[in-house]
Amino acid sequence: MKRNANGIDRLFRFTLGIAVLGGAFVWLGASQGEITGVIAAVIGAILILTGLAGYCPAYRVIGRDTCRTRAT
């Protein structure tokens, strides 16, 4: 898996993922099995994982790459 997300993109994804995951449990009832809360929790977890990995499958599908390549 080649990275396709730069540092700022990764930080934004990770931070947003933490916020969405927290909101899913605090306000949307993910811990009680509410479907909107569970969906939000899954989305938050995906954002956290893509932020940590630096790879976004959706970017690959649309051909986007926010990583800078070094000229050699």
Side-chain angles (χ1 to χ4, degrees), residues 43-71:
I43 291 170
I46 290 170
L47 286 170
I48 291 169
L49 290 175
T50 58
L52 290 173
Y55 176 78
C56 177
Y59 276 6
R60 178 161 181 145
V61 170
I62 63 173
R64 184 172 175 154
D65 186 351
T66 59
C67 283
R68 293 191 179 133
T69 57
R70 293 182 181 173

Side-chain angles (χ1 to χ4, degrees), residues 12 17 30 35:
F12 178 75
I35 191 69

Side-chain angles (χ1 to χ4, degrees), residues 23-38:
F25 283 96
V26 173
W27 292 298
L28 297 177
S31 58
Q32 286 84 28
E34 292 289 330
I35 191 69
T36 54
V38 172

Side-chain angles (χ1 to χ4, degrees), residues 4 9 30 37 65:
N4 62 1
D9 191 3
D65 186 351

